[in-house]
Amino acid sequence: MAPDPVAGTGLQDVAPGPGTEDVFAGGSGNGRLMAAFDWSTTPIGPVETWPASLRYAVRTVLASRFPMILTWGPQYTQFYNDAYAELIGAKHPGAIGDDLRITLAEGWAALQQPVEHAMATREASWIPQLLLLLERAGYREETYFTVSHAPAFGDDGEVAGMHAVCTEVTRQVVAERRQRLLHGVSTAAGRREDERDLATQVCGALAGDLLDVPFAAVYLTGDDARLHRVSTVGVDAAALPATAERAAELGDVDVAALHVPGGPFGDDVGEVVALPLSGGAGREPVGALLVGVSPNRALDEEYRTFHQLLAGQVAGAVTDARAYAAERARAEALAELDRAKTTFFSDVSHELRTPLTLLLGPITDALAESGGQLPAPVREQLTLALRNGQRLKRLVDDLLEFVSIEAGRTAAVRVATDLAGTTAELAGVLRAAAERAGLTLTVDCPPLPRPAAVDPRMWEKIVLNLVANAVKYTFVGSIAVSLRPDGDQVVLRVSDTGVGIPAAELPELFERFHRVADSPARSREGTGLGLAMVRELVGLHGGTVTVESEPGTGSTFTVRVPLGEPDTDTAPPASPAEVRGAALTPWDDDLAWQGRSADPLGTVLVVDDNADMRAYLTRLLSPSWTVRTASDGEQALHDVARVCPDVVLTDVMMPGLDGFGLLRAMRADPATQAVPVVMLTARAGQEAAVEGFDAGVDDYLPKPFESAELLGRLRAVLERSRGRREPVLPGAPSAATPAVPAPPPPRPRAAGTLANGSVANGSVATAAAPPQAPAGRPDSTTTWRFPSRASSIPALRRRLRALLDGAGLDRDRVYDLVLAACEAATNAVEHAQDPVEPVVDVRVTLDDGAVEIAVRDHGQWKERTSSMDRGRGSMLMSAFAEITAVPGPAGTTVTIRSPRPAA
C-alpha cells in the first residue's frame, strides 16, 4: 500500500523514477555525502518515499557543473551540487538537508522576495549582481551573485519547491568599482600647480566610493620634511594626527575610537592602511595616504594591490602638481626676465637716443650749411664722425626693434602702396654705392596689376637690408632686383654674383646674430640682425623669405608676400631712405648733404626737459619757423593759453606733466584741440608710436632723427592742419582756417587673413596674424609653417599670443595655451626623426570662444630613453586642455582643445 501524500511536498504514490541507488550516482562529492545522509530525519522523509520529480531534480542538480540549489517542501529542505558548495564556504556540508532560511539567515532578507515570488507566480526571476551578506569565512562578507530562481514542480504538476542557478560575481563587481575609483582619482587634478587643492580634489573623488575606502586622509611633506595633514574624507579631521614623522606612524591610529562606519552594512571600520606617496625612484616620499579598510572585505592580495594603485595615482598627481608648479614658476621667472629685458631696452633707449640726436644733428647741420667752406681735413673728420654716429643709430634702432618684435608688440600697419615704384626707389638709393664698388645694379620692377598692402617702413627695411647685403658680399659682377606678381602674391628677388653661402650655413642664415664664418666681405661691421629682421618683417606680412646660393656663384633671396588688403588709408610719414641706405653701407665714403629754406613757415612751440635739446631744436627750426620753448607740459599749457602756436613739438618723457598729459589737456580744451601736435621722443619701438596715435597725436618721430625729416614732417603736419594740399609757402599766415588734425592710424590688427607659406633651405614661412573675425562670423582658422628647429619656438610664441590676444581670450588662458602649444612644438622639433619635410605645421581654430591648436611634424618619433624627460611635457599640456596625439607614417599630430569657458 502506497504511503499517504504529504501536503506541499509532492509526495504521493511513488511513481517510477531513478532507483534509490541511482539518485545520487555520478561520482560527485556532494552525491556521496547525500547518499550517506539520513534523509528520514528531514521533512521530506527517506529516499524511498520521494516522488519521481524530486529524484529527477536532485539527479539533475548533482550532474551540473554550474552552481545549482534545489529546495523542496515548505521547510525549504536543501539539495545542492559541488559547485554551489564552494560558494557557501564553511556552511558546507552542514547545509545539506537543512532549511535554506536557516543556512542563509543573514542573507534571507535579500532572497525571500524573489524566491517566494517565483514559487507563487511560477515565473522565473533573473537578478544580476545581487548583494548578499554572507558569513561563510568568519566575518560579515559583502558578496554579489547573479541568480535565477524558478519553481520546481512535483509529480502532480503543483509547485513543490524552488530551483536556483547562480554564479558569484563578487570579484568582478568589486574590481570594476575600484577601477572607476582609480579613474576618478586620476582625473581629479584640480589646479595642477596647487597641491593642497589637488589633495582636496582627490578626497572628493574618494568620497564617491566609501565601500572600498570608508575614510581617507592625504598627508603631504612640508618644508620641514614632516608629513602634514591637508585633506580628509569620511572622518573627522581633528580625530587624526595633524603631522607625522613618517607614514608608518599613521598606521598606529586607534581605529576603534573613530567609530567610522564602512561597507554596505554599516559595520565599524576596524583596520587602516598607511601608504607612502613615492616621489619617484631614488627620491624622498612626497606624502602619505591613510585609508580605512572595509569591514566587509578581506584585506587580501587584491585589496592590497588596489591600495598600492591608489597611492600611485595620488603620488603621481602630487608629483606632477609640484613639477608643474616648478615649471610654471620657471616660466614666470623667464617671462619676468624677458619683461625686465624689454623694459631695460626701452629705458636705455632714452639714454642712447637723446645723446645721439645731439651728436648727429649738429654734425649734419654743419656739413649741410658749411660743408663746402670747411677745410678738407675738418670736413673729413666730421664725415667720419657722422658715418659712425649713423652706424651706432642703426645698431640701436635694430636692437630695439628686434626686441619689440620678439615681445610680440610690433604689427604691420598695411596701406595701399605702389610697390613697384617704391621698390625701385629704395633699390636706387644704393645704386651709387654699388657703382662705386664697380658693380652693376639692375632694377626690374614693372607696375603691378593693383596696389599691394604693405607697411612702407617695414618694406623699406626689407629691401634695403637685402640690397645692402648683396653689395657687401659681391666684389665682381652685378646685382639684380626684380618684382613680379604671382597670383595673389608679389615676389621680390634680389640676386647677386657674390661669394655665395656654403650649404651648411643656409639653415641658420636667418637666425639672429648668425654670421657666416670666414666669408669675404667689404666690411666686417654689422650685428648679424639684418637677415633675421628681414625674416621677422616678412613674417609680419604673412609672407616667406627663402635663399638659394652656391659658393663662388652667388645668391638669390626670394621674398613672397600677399597682395593683401590695407589696414588703413592713412600712410605713416616716410623716413629718408637715403640716410638709412648710407648707414647700411658704412664702407662707402660718399655722403651728400642738402641745405634748407630760411623762410619762416609759422610758429612752433618746442617742449622738452633737456636744455641742450631745446637749444638744438631752436637753432634747427629758427631759419624756417618762429620758435617758442617750454621745459615741461605745465609751462607749455600756460604758453599755449597765452598765444596759440601753429604746431606743438613735444617730448614724451618729462617730469611733471609729460607729453601724453599735455596732449590730453590740449585735446580737452576747445581752444586748442585743433592744434597739431608732433611727438619727438627717445621712447623706442612701434608700440610707442601706436600709443601716441591712439592718444590723438598728429605725428610721431623717434630720436635720433634727421633734421631734414623733422622739417619735412612739421611742414606736412602744418599743411594738413590748414586743410590745403598745396605746399605751405614761406610767409603764409599762421592762423588760417580751423585746423583739422589728420585721423591717426588705427591700432594694427592682431590678426590677418591667412597665407600659407612654404619652407625652403632653412627659411621661415609664416602667416601674418589673422584679423579679428567680424561680428557674426562663427570661427576662423590660422595656419603657420615653421622650420623644425628650436629657434622657431619664439616666433610661434609671438604669433600665437598676438592671435589669441586679438581674439579677446582671458590673459591666463592665453598664457596656458601658448605654453601648451610651444611645448607641443618643442616635442615635434626634438622627437621627429628623419622627417619627410623639416618643418612643423601649426593650425589654430577659434570658434565662439573655443580654441583648437594642432601641431604636426613630418617624421617618426624616437623612443624615450632613460636620460630623457619623464613625460612632463604632455603633463604640462594636459594641465590646460584636452590633449590628443595621433601618430602616423607621415608624422604625428598633437591637438590641444580648450572649450569655451562656462558663463
Side-chain angles (χ1 to χ4, degrees), residues 755-794:
N756 293 337
S758 60
V759 172
N761 299 322
S763 66
V764 138
T766 58
Q772 252 181 300
R777 181 176 177 180
D779 60 73
S780 62
T781 299
T782 303
T783 59
W784 297 304
R785 173 167 283 193
F786 299 92
S788 183
R789 56 174 177 260
S791 59
S792 298
I793 305 304

Side-chain angles (χ1 to χ4, degrees), residues 447-482:
L448 299 176
R450 69 179 182 88
V454 299
D455 185 311
R457 296 182 180 182
M458 292 185 179
W459 186 254
E460 171 193 310
K461 295 173 185 177
I462 292 169
V463 175
L464 290 181
N465 269 294
L466 291 178
V467 178
N469 227 41
V471 174
K472 182 177 180 179
Y473 290 98
T474 302
F475 294 90
V476 178
S478 63
I479 298 170
V481 179
S482 67

Side-chain angles (χ1 to χ4, degrees), residues 14 35 43 144 165 224 252 304 397 471 603 677 682 739 766 789 820 848:
V14 179
Y144 296 88
V165 180
D224 57 359
D252 298 332
R304 294 184 185 278
D397 288 345
V471 174
T603 301
V677 176
T766 58
R789 56 174 177 260
D848 194 23

Side-chain angles (χ1 to χ4, degrees), residues 882-886 893-897:
E882 177 187 347
I883 307 297
T884 59
V886 180
T893 300
V894 176
T895 303
I896 303 165
R897 294 184 179 88

Side-chain angles (χ1 to χ4, degrees), residues 82-99:
D82 290 353
Y84 183 85
E86 295 178 4
L87 301 183
I88 61 175
K91 295 178 181 292
H92 174 72
I96 295 175
D98 200 3
D99 191 328

Side-chain angles (χ1 to χ4, degrees), residues 805-880:
D805 283 340
L809 270 64
D810 175 77
R811 181 177 181 182
D812 289 340
R813 190 177 176 210
V814 170
Y815 178 93
D816 291 341
L817 286 171
V818 169
L819 186 62
C822 290
E823 186 66 33
T826 300
N827 286 341
V829 171
E830 293 179 351
H831 297 300
Q833 299 296 293
D834 302 322
V836 178
E837 292 183 87
V839 297
V840 175
D841 292 320
V842 180
R843 183 185 74 251
V844 185
T845 300
L846 303 172
D847 184 2
D848 194 23
V851 181
E852 179 179 290
I853 304 172
V855 180
R856 182 175 185 268
D857 60 65
H858 295 267
Q860 299 292 323
W861 277 36
K862 61 186 177 183
E863 294 296 326
R864 182 177 286 122
T865 64
S866 58
S867 63
M868 295 172 60
D869 65 90
R870 303 292 180 182
R872 183 173 299 171
S874 60
M875 178 273 293
L876 281 175
M877 289 185 284
S878 63
F880 311 128

